[in-house]
Amino acid sequence: MSIDRRHFVSSAMASGVGLTLSGPSAAAVTTALAAPAVRRAADNYRFCLNTSTIREPKLGIEKEVDIAAAAGYDGIEPWIPTLREFVNGGGKLADLGKRISDAGLTVESAIGFAQWIVDDETRRKEALEEAKRDMDMLREIGGFRIAAPPAGATQSDSPKIDLQVVSERFRALLEVGDQTGVVPQLEIWGFSKNLSRLGEVMYVVGETGHPKACLLLDVYHIFRGGSDFTGLGLLSDNALQVFHVNDYPASPSREEMNDSYRIYPGDGIAPMSQILNAIGGRSNSITLSLELFNRDYWKQDPLEVAKTGLARMKSAVEKAGTDQD
């Protein structure tokens, strides 16, 4: 088994193995290398429920929180439209935040659709104001990240926006995040005219010049956009904090596939071990968020779907750890 040097040092410290100036004894080194405390990629994940996975029963955010907690997740990733419905229905964000906290959950991210990327200057200004409202609302329930997809620039007849221009527009969104304490994550959408490929979103994040610039990636969207998963190994520790987990079947073709074909991780043909070991293989602390839009799952009991999804994610992580050996 290959032992990453930083993994060994951090695990040795965590397990109380002394690293003295005179150096550990040969026996101590042998024990440390054999001990289960050695940190593996499998130890580096938190598990989160993206509420799209149980969306269609239209349970409302409070019930979605209860299901995420009952199923055993660490966190939840709500959709901004659902939060708005909660507020418009008279709900108090402070109460919702307490409900989430009392359930032992964190708000790892949220899904918003502000059109920060579009060419129309008036629409962009309105989108930044919308994003600020969304971020303020999210912060009230304890959230600290939000998705920033290329909403409004996805259709085949949409103009292809220069990536340097996109980076300037994303920088403006990041600066709104600086005001609110919520970090926008540049999201890849594989079906989109803009930002459909891994290299494109990596370029944009790299060119913002902003220290908090980061990505929100997704197994399905990377595949749908035609990128190779090998590129995931190029990401730094801070570039990827939340990763959407799902799988896809062998058919239909990539070009014909849409969100509804997403299935539980491990049930399709995605190279899950390769993906998980790439994003979690450098002591990265990554949140894996189960994001599915499967109509068959929506017809099933939401709690059972949530439980099954968590079990499949954990199984995929365990297998990825075994495949490292």
Side-chain angles (χ1 to χ4, degrees), residues 225-240:
S227 294
D228 194 285
F229 292 105
T230 305
L232 292 171
L234 300 173
L235 298 173
S236 72
D237 288 1
N238 294 321
L240 183 64

Side-chain angles (χ1 to χ4, degrees), residues 64-221:
E64 291 171 345
V65 168
D66 295 345
I67 288 174
Y73 286 85
D74 302 307
I76 191 168
E77 187 177 27
W79 281 46
I80 291 296
T82 306
L83 294 180
R84 290 178 185 158
E85 290 174 5
F86 172 76
V87 172
N88 292 339
K92 304 297 183 184
L93 291 172
D95 294 341
L96 178 60
K98 185 176 186 302
R99 188 188 193 106
I100 294 169
S101 178
D102 288 349
L105 299 172
T106 53
V107 183
E108 292 291 320
S109 179
I111 306 302
F113 301 96
Q115 297 185 7
W116 58 272
I117 192 175
V118 297
D119 281 334
D120 186 281
E121 186 174 358
T122 299
R123 286 173 61 196
R124 279 204 318 279
K125 181 179 179 181
E126 292 172 350
L128 293 179
E129 293 171 352
E130 175 187 344
K132 186 177 185 303
R133 291 192 298 271
D134 292 346
M135 292 176 188
D136 286 339
M137 181 170 56
L138 181 59
R139 193 66 202 175
E140 283 197 59
I141 63 170
F144 49 94
R145 304 185 191 98
I146 190 169
T154 63
Q155 301 301 318
S156 59
D157 58 353
S158 297
K160 186 70 173 177
I161 306 172
D162 182 84
L163 292 180
Q164 193 62 38
V165 173
V166 176
S167 70
E168 293 167 3
R169 294 173 183 175
F170 185 52
R171 166 92 193 199
L173 184 64
L174 286 161
E175 289 171 353
V176 174
D178 290 337
Q179 300 171 27
T180 63
V182 174
V183 177
Q185 307 160 100
L186 186 66
E187 186 173 13
I188 187 173
W189 272 4
F191 61 85
S192 175
K193 180 69 172 289
N194 290 281
L195 302 186
S196 64
R197 298 187 66 88
L198 185 57
E200 291 174 335
V201 292
M202 291 173 71
Y203 179 94
V204 170
V205 164
E207 287 295 317
T208 62
H210 194 288
K212 293 183 179 179
C214 62
L215 298 170
L216 178 57
L217 302 180
D218 181 301
V219 174
Y220 162 77
H221 279 303

